[in-house]
Amino acid sequence: MTYQETLDYMFTQLPMYQRTGKAAYKANLDNTLALDAYFNHPHKKFKTVHVAGTNGKGSVSHSIASVLQKSGFKVGLYTSPHLRDFRERIKINGQVISESAVVDFIGNHKAKFEELKPSFFEMTVALAFEYFASEEIDIAVIEVGLGGRLDSTNIISPLVSVITNISKDHTNLLGNDICDIAKEKAGIIKQGVPVVIGERQEFVEDVFRNIARERESNILFAEDMYEFRNANINIGKQELSYFSTQQLENVLIECDLLGKYQQKNIRTAICALEQLKSQGLNISDENIHSGLSQIVKETGLLGRWQVLQENPKIICDTGHNSAGIREIIEQIRMTDYRKLNIVFGLVDDKNTDEVLSLMPKEANYYFTRASIPRALNEIKLQELASAYDLRGKAYSTVEEALNAAKSDAEIEDMIFVGGSTFVVAEVV
């Protein structure tokens, strides 16, 4: 098969949560364990860091990977979903897996896949682990796909586990109760393995503490370790100031991720890196500063408060649940513009009412849909939005919506593109 034929096989012959939603979710690890045995447990051939959470886990994963790369390690990075190309999910030192590696993996093992009928995600995790092992990496940063306890990545035994935060997302799979969601995320906490919690949250703190206690895992809350002081944006970089409660000193970090919400993610990444240092990994303060200042360059991270152009300013962000949307709206309010235009699309299994209730009423909307089956119809979205006094026209493609917004915008205006990861995927 060609690379495109291989992708078509993966995307259409097997269930894929990104495209079809709940039908692709499997509430067990049977296939993952069967594939792991078939490939002779490749994940045991390299060290790992495991990152879960509702929001920020992609940014935290990329931040940790960037610093490890700057520290001289050969670093695997597994994340999801991809934005432009499937291969973004699997990288070594910022370089995506080759097309031939993907083609060979599927072609050589297709008979086994036909036998087991794994989901898209189960197959992709097997590909990542086998690829990392074959390339003899030193360490991999592994982002959880969905939940934690039953996620296909949860067969690893990491040096440190990280849980960024908890909010309601994928409630049709993980439940509506925030504590139940926290228990699923806490499923990545392993016996004797330290866990870093990115944000202290009243309703779920005891969930994490209890599970960590049961598993004899040292639990650390990032905000206890580093108190945030202030931030400044300076020529494409964010200068962050923290106070280290352990060293009793100020810590200044320059970061190339511009979103205000990255203040929490960078702090979480630093705490995870300190845990790796305490276990003997050679990571200097210089490596940390250098890695965090060049995350995009080192890892190719896309879609996090990404400036696509100036005059008019066009910005996109993949934040898509209510917690992520709140952060984005706060960021928009901190930005200078004359008029706000929003290219906006959602998927149809989200809590649309909660998201729509948060969106700014003063904006001009360009309702649209991404080109995936899960996308909410743009006309239906327009109708639902009108109940919240959100006004604008509907466009059948993201390209049409963005072109219309560009045509309408003046040089001092701002265009924001978001609502769904898959809308952003079509513009970056």
Side-chain angles (χ1 to χ4, degrees):
M1 293 188 290
T2 65
Y3 176 64
Q4 188 56 53
E5 288 169 343
T6 300
L7 292 187
D8 291 343
Y9 172 80
M10 296 175 74
F11 291 164
T12 61
Q13 300 302 315
L14 299 162
M16 175 185 175
Y17 180 79
Q18 179 172 337
R19 296 173 62 83
T20 61
K22 189 171 183 177
Y25 183 69
K26 296 187 179 181
N28 62 67
L29 291 174
D30 294 351
N31 277 347
T32 299
L33 292 170
L35 287 171
D36 185 52
Y38 170 74
F39 287 109
N40 194 26
H41 314 293
H43 68 90
K44 295 182 179 180
K45 298 173 183 175
F46 48 86
K47 298 178 176 68
T48 55
V49 176
H50 208 187
V51 183
T54 304
N55 293 307
K57 59 183 183 290
S59 294
V60 169
S61 296
H62 283 78
S63 300
I64 294 171
S66 181
V67 171
L68 291 173
Q69 288 168 214
K70 287 290 190 180
S71 303
F73 296 103
K74 189 173 184 179
V75 183
L77 178 61
Y78 177 79
T79 58
S80 62
H82 63 272
L83 291 182
R84 294 187 296 203
D85 184 344
F86 165 80
R87 297 180 300 145
E88 295 166 26
R89 295 169 179 256
I90 303 169
K91 299 177 182 177
I92 295 179
N93 283 4
Q95 300 300 308
V96 298
I97 186 173
S98 67
E99 292 184 1
S100 61
V102 178
V103 171
D104 290 346
F105 178 81
I106 298 300
N108 293 340
H109 306 289
K110 193 174 179 182
K112 191 64 177 180
F113 299 143
E114 298 288 355
E115 173 195 335
L116 290 176
K117 294 182 170 52
S119 71
F120 170 89
F121 198 78
E122 290 164 340
M123 188 191 315
T124 304
V125 169
L127 166 60
F129 290 176
E130 176 69 6
Y131 178 65
F132 291 158
S134 69
E135 293 294 318
E136 300 182 340
I137 66 165
D138 299 311
I139 187 168
V141 182
I142 307 295
E143 179 191 349
V144 168
L146 177 65
R149 181 175 64 94
L150 297 174
D151 188 74
S152 296
T153 64
N154 201 30
I155 59 173
I156 62 176
S157 296
L159 298 177
V160 61
S161 305
V162 180
I163 303 173
T164 57
N165 53 52
I166 304 296
S167 62
K168 290 186 178 182
D169 197 10
H170 303 300
T171 53
N172 57 331
L173 302 176
L174 303 178
N176 270 296
D177 183 87
I178 197 76
C179 289
D180 288 341
I181 296 172
K183 288 175 185 175
E184 288 298 313
K185 308 282 187 187
I188 73 164
I189 300 175
K190 301 295 195 303
Q191 188 73 27
V193 175
V195 58
V196 172
I197 309 297
E199 296 178 43
R200 183 186 295 281
Q201 296 170 278
E202 178 184 358
F203 299 108
V204 299
E205 181 176 341
D206 285 346
V207 172
F208 293 142
R209 288 194 181 278
N210 292 338
I211 292 176
R213 188 180 305 113
E214 290 170 9
R215 297 176 187 171
E216 300 176 309
S217 168
N218 184 31
I219 185 169
L220 301 158
F221 289 84
E223 62 190 80
D224 291 346
M225 312 298 286
Y226 287 92
E227 296 174 359
F228 176 71
R229 290 296 169 87
N230 59 64
N232 293 299
I233 303 294
N234 183 24
I235 315 177
K237 293 285 179 78
Q238 187 170 193
E239 297 172 346
L240 305 175
S241 174
Y242 302 95
F243 179 75
S244 169
T245 60
Q246 305 300 301
Q247 304 299 323
L248 300 179
E249 63 184 16
N250 290 320
V251 177
L252 299 176
I253 296 292
E254 189 178 70
C255 169
D256 62 345
L257 304 181
L258 300 180
K260 179 177 181 290
Y261 54 82
Q262 299 295 358
Q263 297 159 9
K264 302 172 189 174
N265 295 331
I266 294 299
R267 174 171 61 191
T268 302
I270 294 171
C271 288
L273 289 160
E274 286 187 345
Q275 288 302 301
L276 295 177
K277 286 176 66 174
S278 72
Q279 296 181 54
L281 270 68
N282 187 13
I283 304 168
S284 69
D285 289 345
E286 183 181 346
N287 298 148
I288 291 174
H289 285 85
S290 178
L292 295 179
S293 71
Q294 298 182 47
I295 298 167
V296 173
K297 178 184 175 183
E298 291 293 320
T299 67
L301 179 61
L302 297 170
R304 273 59 169 196
W305 198 254
Q306 182 176 346
V307 180
L308 300 175
Q309 77 167 53
E310 300 281 358
N311 305 318
K313 186 182 290 291
I314 303 178
I315 294 175
C316 66
D317 196 288
T318 55
H320 54 276
N321 51 45
S322 56
I325 293 293
R326 282 192 183 93
E327 297 275 14
I328 288 168
I329 291 168
E330 183 178 354
Q331 185 84 37
I332 288 174
R333 288 174 178 152
M334 294 169 60
T335 306
D336 291 330
Y337 56 82
R338 186 186 68 89
K339 182 180 175 184
L340 177 61
N341 302 284
I342 297 181
V343 176
F344 191 69
L346 296 173
V347 292
D348 63 6
D349 52 6
K350 292 287 180 187
N351 186 341
T352 54
D353 287 321
E354 188 171 356
V355 170
L356 291 171
S357 69
L358 298 170
M359 297 302 294
K361 293 178 173 55
E362 69 275 10
N364 185 34
Y365 285 84
Y366 300 77
F367 299 106
T368 188
R369 60 174 163 179
S371 54
I372 62 164
R374 287 173 61 206
L376 180 63
N377 178 276
E378 71 278 8
I379 302 297
K380 183 178 180 182
L381 175 58
Q382 182 186 36
E383 292 172 354
L384 292 170
S386 67
Y388 294 91
D389 295 325
L390 308 179
R391 307 296 177 186
K393 295 181 180 179
Y395 300 84
S396 59
T397 69
V398 175
E399 182 181 16
E400 288 177 29
L402 181 56
N403 285 339
K406 286 180 178 179
S407 177
D408 294 343
E410 301 289 344
I411 198 167
E412 306 91 352
D413 294 347
M414 173 176 164
I415 300 172
F416 176 78
V417 183
S420 162
T421 299
F422 311 111
V423 169
V424 174
E426 297 188 28
V427 303
V428 294

